[in-house]
Amino acid sequence: MDGENVDDDHAPWPSPLYRDLVEELSRLHRRKGQYHVDSILEGSAFAILLVLSDGRPRTLRNLAEDLDLEQSTVNRQVNAAIKLGYLERFDVEGSLSRMVRPTDAGQTAFHHDGMLRVRRLERVFADLAPGEPDVLLRELQAFNEAYDRALRAETRADGDHRRHG
């Protein structure tokens, strides 16, 4: 085992802290597909409506960038949401690309499902007491920004490696 201590209960992680962080992040990821029994929207429709909740219509390309998904995937998801009446496409004068925006039904369903999520979070924070939502939000924002910087650095390094390798 080349000097590795096989007795470590946290191997291959450098410490139990990193093992536990990876485990907790994995738990969060696994919950991604768990919806409230009373949800109206499926996950992709909610995610699209969340992006559009700032009131700004988007092109498919913009949505793909905002959701960090392939444009073909977003196109399929948008088409499904259009068929269900949650989104609509519309033309913009002077633009070749059509825009996507929520319908009234989409906004109503988004509000409904958003409130289900809010009530669940309220129960979680009540159970977590003295946990504070604003503290978690600041830490998650800082974590996500640092994580994005690390990913960009890895992408740049990988691109440099491929050009020079």
Side-chain angles (χ1 to χ4, degrees):
M1 289 276 173
D2 297 319
E4 289 182 37
N5 183 352
V6 292
D7 294 332
D8 288 343
D9 70 343
H10 57 270
W13 311 105
S15 71
L17 174 65
Y18 284 95
R19 178 201 58 215
D20 293 348
L21 280 169
V22 169
E23 185 177 307
E24 292 304 317
L25 290 170
S26 293
R27 285 178 66 194
L28 279 173
H29 183 73
R30 286 191 304 268
R31 287 193 188 111
K32 182 174 78 170
Q34 294 177 341
Y35 306 107
H36 192 283
V37 67
D38 294 326
S39 290
I40 296 170
L41 300 166
E42 74 104 331
S44 64
F46 186 86
I48 292 167
L49 287 162
L50 180 61
V51 169
L52 295 171
S53 69
D54 64 6
R56 293 185 3 237
R58 308 281 201 298
T59 63
L60 285 178
R61 182 184 312 189
N62 297 143
L63 282 171
E65 290 169 3
D66 290 343
L67 295 165
D68 196 23
L69 294 171
E70 294 292 325
Q71 191 167 330
S72 60
T73 300
V74 173
N75 186 48
R76 187 174 58 254
Q77 293 173 348
V78 164
N79 285 334
I82 288 171
K83 285 180 185 174
L84 294 170
Y86 301 131
L87 297 174
E88 63 184 0
R89 283 194 175 101
F90 65 99
D91 295 317
V92 174
E93 190 175 325
S95 175
L96 297 176
S97 298
R98 298 182 82 197
M99 303 291 274
V100 177
R101 66 182 168 208
T103 61
D104 289 342
Q107 289 177 331
T108 299
F110 176 75
H111 181 272
H112 174 271
D113 286 10
M115 292 310 298
L116 292 174
R117 286 166 167 80
V118 166
R119 287 192 287 277
R120 179 178 284 160
L121 286 172
E122 288 172 342
R123 287 191 305 274
V124 167
F125 280 105
D127 184 51
L128 186 62
E132 298 295 328
D134 57 325
V135 173
L136 177 61
L137 176 61
R138 282 194 307 275
E139 290 294 320
L140 282 173
Q141 288 171 329
F143 175 84
N144 282 323
E145 290 300 319
Y147 204 96
D148 287 345
R149 286 191 299 274
L151 289 176
R152 285 191 299 271
E154 289 172 17
T155 301
R156 281 193 306 274
D158 185 47
D160 291 344
H161 175 68
R162 289 180 186 192
R163 280 193 296 274
H164 302 295

